[in-house]
Amino acid sequence: MVAQVIDGKAFAATVRAQVADQVAKLKDENGITPGLAVVLVGEDPASQVYVRSKGKMTVEVGMNSYEHKLDVDTSEADLLALIDKLNTDPAVHGILVQLPLPKHLNEDLVINSIDPAKDVDGFHISNVGLLGTGQKSMVPCTPLGCLMMLRDHHGSLSGMDAVVIGRSNIVGKPMAQLLLGDSCTVTIAHSRTKDLPDVVRRADIVVAAVGRPEMVPGDWIKEGATVIDVGINRIERDGKNKLVGDVDYASAAERAGAITPVPGGVGPMTIACLLANTLTAACRA
């Protein structure tokens, strides 16, 4: 068996096109242009690349992009004051504070100072609670993108056995909640899970989000399973820098029914879902 490749890049382009159509409609019918404010503290190279990419795509779908770049030694009080200003700005419908923040800033405090209705990352404690209880919420972008790809591939996920490897607040836990919401039987596995290979082998759906390069080998994958690889790890191989996922792609692709590549799988969907969340926030407002 050779796995079908789930093309996140192509799917994300479709989602962005749909968002652009809805943005144009919102402008024509209501005179509203959705606005996304991105706050970047410091000069983390990876964060700078993400912020540039987000800004470019925000403008491409017809939204307003507001970028706030702050010095690495910005005080907590100044950052909270900026967020407070964005919370009350009617032109801003979505607020995203790029993580990780410098060590002297309290991430939880900063995230929970964002208006939950503008929290397009879905990290505010109110949105976490709403998602966990199956109510209408802002859903974290990466798990939402994964769910959309799974629904697109399978149609119904009802009754499927899903294993999420990783228990982070950003991916693992919300991913499990979304799969439960689609009537999967869900196991959250992690570094302390006993007999991890056997746990993964019984899954119809495997979502790997541990941040360890190629940790999941092909022989952990059940024949015909769908593998969603959230990991983006930079490694050196044969003297060259290479991006790899949390799954060993070559061996997993021989057993899986479908698999996301790295790069070109989950990554593009994350930004597409951020734009979709911003549109949702503007419509709700």
Side-chain angles (χ1 to χ4, degrees):
M1 175 181 288
V2 177
Q4 179 186 335
V5 177
I6 299 175
D7 189 342
K9 204 172 174 185
F11 193 17
T14 304
V15 173
R16 290 198 308 274
Q18 290 169 343
V19 169
D21 287 346
Q22 292 299 317
V23 168
K25 201 171 163 189
L26 197 61
K27 283 182 187 175
D28 290 344
E29 294 178 6
N30 303 89
I32 294 167
T33 301
L36 174 63
V38 178
V39 180
L40 174 64
V41 185
E43 296 183 356
D44 178 72
S47 293
Q48 287 182 320
V49 171
Y50 284 134
V51 167
R52 267 201 304 275
S53 184
K54 284 167 183 169
K56 183 169 169 274
M57 290 185 188
T58 303
V59 172
E60 280 174 4
V61 297
M63 295 184 186
N64 290 328
S65 174
Y66 307 104
E67 287 184 15
H68 298 269
K69 293 181 179 175
L70 308 178
D71 290 339
V72 69
D73 54 2
T74 296
S75 72
E76 201 160 76
D78 286 347
L79 177 55
L80 294 174
L82 171 61
I83 292 169
D84 197 41
K85 191 176 157 195
L86 297 173
N87 282 340
T88 56
D89 186 344
V92 174
H93 301 95
I95 301 168
L96 181 149
V97 177
Q98 185 65 44
L99 302 178
L101 289 171
K103 294 264 190 291
H104 69 284
L105 300 172
N106 181 332
E107 281 188 3
D108 290 338
L109 179 68
V110 170
I111 288 165
N112 291 321
S113 70
I114 298 170
D115 178 349
K118 295 187 178 189
D119 166 39
V120 286
D121 255 339
F123 296 161
H124 191 287
I125 194 69
S126 295
N127 283 317
V128 173
L130 290 167
L131 177 64
T133 50
Q135 299 179 67
K136 189 168 78 175
S137 69
M138 280 293 171
V139 179
C141 304
T142 299
L144 179 58
C146 295
L147 183 73
M148 288 168 71
M149 289 191 287
L150 285 166
R151 284 176 175 170
D152 183 67
H153 180 71
H154 286 286
S156 171
L157 306 181
S158 182
M160 296 182 82
D161 200 329
V163 170
V164 179
I165 313 171
R167 51 181 164 177
S168 73
N169 293 332
I170 291 172
V171 181
K173 290 175 187 172
M175 188 75 244
Q177 297 289 358
L178 289 173
L179 290 166
L180 276 173
D182 268 32
S183 300
C184 291
T185 300
V186 183
T187 303
I188 299 184
H190 44 79
S191 59
R192 303 283 176 88
T193 300
K194 287 182 180 174
D195 303 322
L196 181 59
D198 288 340
V199 170
V200 177
R201 277 187 197 109
R202 67 168 188 252
D204 306 309
I205 295 168
V206 177
V207 181
V210 280
R212 287 174 60 185
E214 299 175 333
M215 176 188 142
V216 181
D219 67 2
W220 289 15
I221 305 300
K222 175 179 168 181
E223 202 75 46
T226 301
V227 178
I228 304 290
D229 191 349
V230 181
I232 300 180
N233 309 287
R234 199 174 291 278
I235 64 165
E236 195 173 304
R237 182 169 289 159
D238 304 325
K240 292 178 184 172
N241 272 334
K242 193 176 183 217
L243 279 183
V244 298
D246 292 347
V247 177
D248 178 47
Y249 185 87
S251 62
E254 290 177 8
R255 291 179 62 83
I259 190 169
T260 58
V262 177
V266 174
M269 283 300 293
T270 298
I271 295 182
C273 290
L274 172 69
L275 300 174
N277 277 354
T278 304
L279 174 63
T280 299
C283 291
R284 287 178 184 170

